[in-house]
Amino acid sequence: MALALAGCAKSADQVSAAYVSPMQFQGYTCQQLAQEAERISARAVALTGTQNRQAASDAVVTAVAVVIFWPAAFMVGGDNAQTAELARLKGEMEAIEQVSIHKKCGIVFRTEEAKS
């Protein structure tokens, strides 16, 4: 059972940001930073929905596997390229935010926790 749970996809809020060097955004103007942040944010929102659906699906399959049919545990999708991409996007947003602060762009970055 522990093996099956270990393979489950994480919900999007549990995916940590991967390190992305702010250096790649140093040459951007404030307007370019804002546009890039908007593009990354839109992709992250779409990917968050996909990640959360995968996590919910994995949880259901795991529950069915444990209660009804243990071979179903091998159907758990687990972490994959989506999780890695979401972590990278979160890291890019953090890097853009750092550069924006350094350049005093005044771009407002809100996290999910701040929206609630």
Side-chain angles (χ1 to χ4, degrees), residues 6 10 15 27 40 42 50 54 99 102 113 116:
K10 296 177 182 178
V15 176
I40 291 169
T50 302
Q54 183 65 49
V99 173
H102 179 74
E113 295 83 31
S116 300

Side-chain angles (χ1 to χ4, degrees), residues 7-91:
C8 290
K10 296 177 182 178
S11 64
D13 62 338
Q14 293 177 325
V15 176
S16 299
Y19 175 76
V20 173
S21 174
M23 294 301 291
Q24 72 183 37
F25 300 107
Q26 286 294 334
Y28 285 40
T29 65
C30 289
Q31 182 179 2
Q32 289 171 324
L33 287 170
Q35 290 171 343
E36 187 66 4
E38 189 175 318
R39 183 192 68 78
I40 291 169
S41 180
R43 177 65 183 138
V45 166
L47 203 54
T48 294
T50 302
Q51 185 71 27
N52 287 339
R53 282 190 298 279
Q54 183 65 49
S57 174
D58 284 358
V60 168
V61 169
T62 300
V64 168
V66 171
V67 175
I68 299 172
F69 186 61
W70 69 266
F74 298 106
M75 295 170 47
V76 174
D79 293 347
N80 54 28
Q82 291 176 128
T83 304
E85 182 180 4
L86 185 57
R88 180 185 52 78
L89 291 171
K90 287 182 173 186

